[in-house]
Amino acid sequence: MYKRKRIVIALGGNALGNTLPEQMQAVKTTAKALCDLIEEGHQVVVVHGNGPQVGMINNAMAALSREDANQPNTPLSVCVAMSQAYIGYDLQNALREELRKRGFMRTPVVTVVTQVRVDENDPAFQNPSKPIGHFMTREQAEHAEKAYGYVMKEDAGRGYRRVVASPKPVEIVEQDAINSLVDANKIVICCGGGGIPVTLQGDHLKGASAVIDKDFASCLLAKELDADMLIILTAVEKVAVNFGKENEKWLDEMTVEEAQKYVDEGQFAPGSMLPKVQAAMDFASSKEGRSAMITLLEKAKDGIQGKTGTKIHI
């Protein structure tokens, strides 16, 4: 019997484009794929990346502080908040428009500006490795280190870039509000860019110079929502082992045990497919009956129907 599902969908960067005009165009395609699932009766919760967008905002804010000595540098956590709002704005409108084209006149779509708590003692803070922002000369990098306390690293001969920590998410601060909205059958966009990274200091939530992986944040969200399925949409239709080699093999499914074996073999690239597979494994193994899917944006509906994608299960 066909079962409608509560699904958390993690959108990859290809769903949003790299510039404002690209994003406005890209979200129309993204909305069609999401509305295919909504039209099937599934309850959809959306998480998105923000790589190009938060970099653009960070660069713009840094340029402003260089031009005006009275403008303090904008913390990365604030840049993430800005990116959540403006990506959410475009996604909300695209979803609303697409749903109305399909005859859904009540289209309650909402973006929740979401804070995600990380542990200030997470070892990732001792080894910042996630590059953000534009390339700099050695002189500019030294100035950024002194003026703003940035950690700068040379990037493969192309110049210097700021690097920040990528700690694991431990709590979604607005989880109760998200639960209420989803339970009331609203279409919720949340945890954008992995969430605004914060640490708890007494009763105060303090922004952290960090980037949370959106796939790990999506996994935590899916578990807290008691979702049936986590779908991670990326630029490939299926997960492959021996990727790019003569014996390359595309996978229709993996058990968590099989996926762990591939991870141990180093089959998946860090910062690319590895966190997606790890998040999928975490969710699929968290409760009986849960599964995860990694596939292409345009193939989300086919993936749920078992026609394509890589399914991860116990």
Side-chain angles (χ1 to χ4, degrees), residues 28-50:
K28 293 180 181 180
T29 303
T30 299
K32 286 184 173 70
L34 295 175
C35 289
D36 283 347
L37 303 182
I38 295 165
E39 200 168 31
E40 294 267 304
H42 298 300
Q43 194 172 41
V44 170
V45 184
V46 183
V47 178
H48 59 78
N50 70 343

Side-chain angles (χ1 to χ4, degrees), residues 68 76 78 92 109 115 124 156 159 180 182 228 262 273 276 290:
D68 184 351
L76 181 58
V78 176
Q92 279 178 200
V109 188
Q115 302 172 93
S180 297
V182 174
D228 301 296
Y262 292 137
M273 188 55 76
K276 292 171 174 49
R290 289 177 175 171

Side-chain angles (χ1 to χ4, degrees), residues 112 173-183 188:
V112 178
V173 177
E174 287 76 22
Q175 186 70 61
D176 283 351
I178 294 165
N179 288 356
S180 297
L181 289 163
V182 174
D183 288 342
V188 180

Side-chain angles (χ1 to χ4, degrees), residues 23 48 82-94 109-111 189:
Q23 178 170 299
H48 59 78
M82 291 178 179
S83 75
Q84 285 188 357
Y86 103 73
I87 293 169
Y89 161 61
D90 278 348
L91 266 176
Q92 279 178 200
N93 282 342
V109 188
V110 62
T111 297
I189 302 161

Side-chain angles (χ1 to χ4, degrees), residues 26 29 41 49 57 62 137 141 149 171 181 259 269 278 304:
T29 303
I57 292 167
T137 64
E171 179 192 7
L181 289 163
Q278 289 174 323
I304 287 181

Side-chain angles (χ1 to χ4, degrees), residues 21-249:
E22 277 185 21
Q23 178 170 299
M24 291 191 73
Q25 193 58 43
V27 292
K28 293 180 181 180
T29 303
T30 299
K32 286 184 173 70
L34 295 175
C35 289
D36 283 347
L37 303 182
I38 295 165
E39 200 168 31
E40 294 267 304
H42 298 300
Q43 194 172 41
V44 170
V45 184
V46 183
V47 178
H48 59 78
N50 70 343
Q53 294 83 3
V54 78
M56 181 175 67
I57 292 167
N58 184 67
N59 290 347
M61 294 295 101
L64 178 62
S65 67
R66 289 194 298 271
E67 290 173 11
D68 184 351
N70 294 317
Q71 286 286 349
N73 196 46
T74 306
L76 181 58
S77 54
V78 176
C79 295
V80 174
M82 291 178 179
S83 75
Q84 285 188 357
Y86 103 73
I87 293 169
Y89 161 61
D90 278 348
L91 266 176
Q92 279 178 200
N93 282 342
L95 282 166
R96 180 181 180 277
E97 185 177 334
E98 183 62 27
L99 284 166
R100 286 184 171 246
K101 284 179 183 175
R102 299 183 188 207
F104 293 86
M105 300 318 290
R106 281 184 53 77
T107 52
V109 188
V110 62
T111 297
V112 178
V113 175
T114 317
Q115 302 172 93
V116 174
R117 185 171 66 82
V118 297
D119 184 351
E120 62 183 272
N121 297 314
D122 189 303
F125 283 110
Q126 304 306 314
N127 182 32
S129 59
K130 188 86 172 176
I132 63 162
H134 63 292
F135 288 96
M136 301 185 194
T137 64
R138 180 191 290 272
E139 292 73 20
Q140 289 171 328
E142 288 173 353
H143 171 76
E145 286 178 330
K146 290 173 186 172
Y148 309 130
Y150 287 179
V151 177
M152 306 296 297
K153 285 189 180 177
E154 201 272 336
D155 189 332
R158 296 182 293 176
Y160 291 79
R161 289 181 83 188
R162 180 187 180 189
V163 290
V164 297
S166 187
K168 290 289 195 299
V170 295
E171 179 192 7
I172 297 167
V173 177
E174 287 76 22
Q175 186 70 61
D176 283 351
I178 294 165
N179 288 356
S180 297
L181 289 163
V182 174
D183 288 342
N185 213 29
K186 312 305 180 191
I187 300 164
V188 180
I189 302 161
C190 59
C191 298
I196 303 163
V198 294
T199 58
L200 184 61
Q201 303 192 352
D203 291 327
H204 175 61
L205 290 168
K206 185 179 189 306
S209 290
V211 173
I212 301 167
D213 188 285
K214 68 111 175 46
D215 298 315
F216 292 137
S218 300
C219 173
L220 177 59
L221 175 70
K223 288 193 285 189
E224 292 297 319
L225 279 170
D226 195 22
D228 301 296
M229 197 169 192
L230 171 65
I231 300 181
I232 299 174
L233 299 178
T234 185
V236 292
E237 191 167 336
K238 296 182 181 182
V239 178
V241 291
N242 304 313
F243 184 69
K245 299 176 182 176
E246 285 184 11
N247 58 341
E248 177 181 86
K249 180 184 177 185

